[in-house]
Amino acid sequence: MPKAKKSNAKTSTRVKATRATRRTSANPIATSIKRLYNKSAPLLICEALLFGVVAVLMVLMPVTFLKALTVIVGVGLILFGLYRTIAGFVVSRDMGGGWFDVLFGLLGVVLGVLFCIYPASSAISLVYIFVVLFLFRSLLSLIFSVNMIRAKFGHYWVDLVMSIILIALAVFLLFYPMAGAVVMIYYLAVTLLLYAIADVYMYIEILRLKKLVND
């Protein structure tokens, strides 16, 4: 009797699976949703796990991650510099030019080597570059706010206050660049975490659609 029950259960399971397969094949929407689930679900889960783990590591070890990121940028600069150098030599030999590419490529190689040898100092240098650009943008915002005050147009006082805050933040980062680097890492970590949450949400929605179609 137990064997008969097991065989009956297997038979009913096969019948249900066959019916579900027939319903899915007869419905083009169900087929497309199933195909979408099979292709997207593994990618969404792996991407969410990767982004989540990287975000947690960035929050727990921001300085270490910043150094590692600087080394990665340095390796990229070395590869790009070698490519430009080789391409410049080829162009200069065949067409009588390309020496600018050679110089630019060699400069990229030197910068890449410095980034790999001195990751902490290179990271601070990158922060200084971004802070100077940020300060320049803040000064432009201040000039725009002053012009708006003269014209008495728009929410000029709000623009003025925001410009002053941005300039003060840029000056602060000039004196404390490491704080700016850590804040940048935290910002990237939050961004990756939001991407991971979005991937999980998309996976749940696709799974819900798949269940609705199967039912």
Side-chain angles (χ1 to χ4, degrees):
M1 290 297 292
K3 292 183 179 180
K5 290 182 179 179
K6 289 182 180 179
S7 62
N8 292 333
K10 290 181 180 180
T11 303
S12 62
T13 303
R14 290 175 183 174
V15 170
K16 291 180 180 179
T18 304
R19 290 176 180 175
T21 304
R22 289 177 180 174
R23 288 198 304 266
T24 303
S25 60
N27 189 352
I29 298 178
T31 304
S32 62
I33 290 175
K34 185 177 181 181
R35 189 182 301 113
L36 176 64
Y37 176 82
N38 292 333
K39 290 183 178 180
S40 301
L43 179 62
L44 290 173
I45 292 299
C46 293
E47 192 175 85
L49 288 175
L50 177 63
F51 286 167
V53 171
V54 173
V56 171
L57 291 176
M58 290 171 71
V59 171
L60 295 178
M61 299 179 294
V63 178
T64 303
F65 190 88
L66 183 62
K67 291 180 180 179
L69 184 63
T70 307
V71 172
I72 293 173
V73 173
V75 172
L77 286 173
I78 291 174
L79 295 177
F80 180 74
L82 289 175
Y83 168 76
R84 290 295 297 268
T85 303
I86 296 172
F89 273 118
V90 172
V91 172
S92 64
R93 185 177 60 187
D94 293 341
M95 302 177 60
W99 293 112
F100 177 77
D101 290 332
V102 173
L103 294 176
F104 188 76
L106 292 176
L107 179 62
V109 172
V110 172
L111 288 177
V113 172
L114 291 177
F115 272 49
C116 293
I117 297 177
Y118 305 104
S121 301
S122 301
I124 294 177
S125 300
L126 282 177
V127 173
Y128 272 124
I129 293 173
F130 284 114
V131 169
V132 170
L133 294 175
F134 180 66
L135 180 61
F136 178 73
R137 182 67 182 83
S138 302
L139 290 175
L140 290 180
S141 299
L142 179 62
I143 295 173
F144 176 79
S145 301
V146 172
N147 291 329
M148 290 298 100
I149 290 175
R150 290 177 179 176
K152 294 183 179 180
F153 178 79
H155 304 284
Y156 45 85
W157 289 112
V158 177
D159 295 334
L160 179 63
V161 171
M162 291 301 299
S163 301
I164 294 174
I165 292 175
L166 291 176
I167 292 175
L169 180 61
V171 172
F172 171 80
L173 293 177
L174 283 175
F175 287 99
Y176 302 98
M178 205 59 192
V182 173
V183 170
M184 182 178 65
I185 292 298
Y186 282 139
Y187 173 77
L188 292 176
V190 172
T191 303
L192 289 178
L193 189 60
L194 290 177
Y195 274 117
I197 293 173
D199 287 337
V200 172
Y201 173 76
M202 289 297 297
Y203 171 76
I204 293 174
E205 288 297 316
I206 294 176
L207 181 61
R208 185 176 65 86
L209 285 175
K210 182 174 178 291
K211 289 182 178 179
L212 288 175
V213 169
N214 290 335
D215 294 338

